[in-house]
Amino acid sequence: AAFGIPPLVIGLTVVAFGTSSPELAVGVQSALTGNPDIALGNVIGSNIFNILVIVGLSAVIVPLVVHQKLVRLDVPLVIGLSVLVLILGLDGRIGRVEGALLFLGLAAFIVFQIRQGRRESEEVQQEYAQEYGDGRTKSAGQWALNVVLLVAGLAMLIIGSNWLVDSASGIARSLGVSELIIGLTIVAAGTSAPELATSIMAAVRGERDIAVGNAVGSNVFNILGVLGLTAVLAPEGIGVPRSAL
């Protein structure tokens, strides 16, 4: 915000992607520790959780009459990306090259979001400005505090993702179920907590576009960013069992 990036763009990129940072941390940790099944289950489970629980609860709080044109563009995009992942996984693996292509797609999506955001209506611009402020950090002290909070948050995210992956693997082994199932359930619900909090608060305040946009943007990031980067980092890519298909 201090660099003058409009609140709308912040909401559609930084906030939507920021709430997916636990999924990204878990995905990277899973790839580095040889547990890519957790990452795959996490992405699939989180996307299902975002639509059924987060959008569902937001709609219970306030009817989601969404006027944001970009959301109407994003929903078909999420459906298309989900079909693409299904196609990529038909051979039983999402390899490094496929992961790199997904990750490049994320860069293209961010550029598209920023360009489209500048064309949004004044009503939508004001909605995001009310949610995220006019964006100017006033003092050096505020700068320093934000940097400290950012570094501390990243450090806790890395530590927490390490604990989560290790614990999820242990639970899967003790229950005799696959790591994919644990990723689809316990890990997915846990890493989706930020999206849940953000969307519910936006719904309570009547910010309907933000409540939906956060969930949809997070789904896009999970597929392109989390799944893509995990496939690149995993030595043999991500195995896709038939049950996941």
Side-chain angles (χ1 to χ4, degrees):
F3 284 116
I5 297 174
L8 176 70
V9 176
I10 293 172
L12 294 175
T13 56
V14 178
V15 175
F17 297 168
T19 55
S20 285
S21 54
E23 285 92 338
L24 181 60
V26 167
V28 171
Q29 187 69 31
S30 300
L32 296 178
T33 56
N35 300 298
D37 278 3
I38 290 180
L40 178 65
N42 187 28
V43 167
I44 298 171
S46 291
N47 281 16
I48 293 171
F49 190 91
N50 286 346
I51 298 301
L52 297 183
V53 178
I54 294 175
V55 175
L57 277 178
S58 298
V60 168
I61 294 169
V62 58
L64 296 177
V65 182
V66 181
H67 302 293
Q68 186 177 198
K69 298 187 191 76
L70 198 54
V71 171
R72 294 203 298 270
L73 292 172
D74 283 350
V75 170
L77 176 62
V78 169
I79 295 171
L81 289 175
S82 301
V83 173
L84 175 62
V85 170
L86 176 63
I87 294 171
L88 293 178
L90 286 175
D91 62 354
R93 185 163 302 279
I94 297 176
R96 281 182 157 176
V97 173
E98 295 165 330
L101 290 174
L102 289 174
F103 200 70
L104 286 174
L106 178 64
F109 176 74
I110 292 173
V111 172
F112 173 77
Q113 288 280 54
I114 292 173
R115 293 182 68 176
Q116 285 293 115
R118 289 174 178 165
R119 301 175 189 168
E120 277 293 357
S121 68
E122 184 65 27
E123 179 185 355
V124 173
Q125 297 279 2
Q126 289 176 356
E127 181 179 337
Y128 277 82
Q130 180 180 344
E131 182 73 12
Y132 301 118
D134 60 8
R136 298 293 175 179
T137 299
K138 303 285 193 297
S139 67
Q142 287 176 307
W143 266 96
L145 177 61
N146 284 333
V147 170
V148 169
L149 291 174
L150 178 65
V151 172
L154 286 171
M156 288 189 288
L157 193 63
I158 293 169
I159 294 169
S161 65
N162 189 18
W163 289 346
L164 188 59
V165 171
D166 288 347
S167 301
S169 300
I171 290 171
R173 285 192 297 270
S174 64
L175 294 179
V177 299
S178 70
E179 292 181 345
L180 176 67
I181 298 298
I182 296 298
L184 278 165
T185 54
I186 298 172
V187 177
T191 56
S192 290
E195 286 94 334
L196 181 62
T198 300
S199 289
I200 286 179
M201 285 306 300
V204 168
R205 295 173 185 170
E207 310 292 350
R208 300 169 181 186
D209 294 321
I210 293 171
V212 178
N214 174 58
V216 174
S218 178
N219 278 18
V220 172
F221 183 81
N222 285 345
I223 294 174
L224 296 179
V226 179
L227 201 61
L229 188 59
T230 302
V232 169
L233 293 176
E236 298 179 1
I238 300 175
V240 183
R242 291 198 62 82
S243 57
L245 291 175

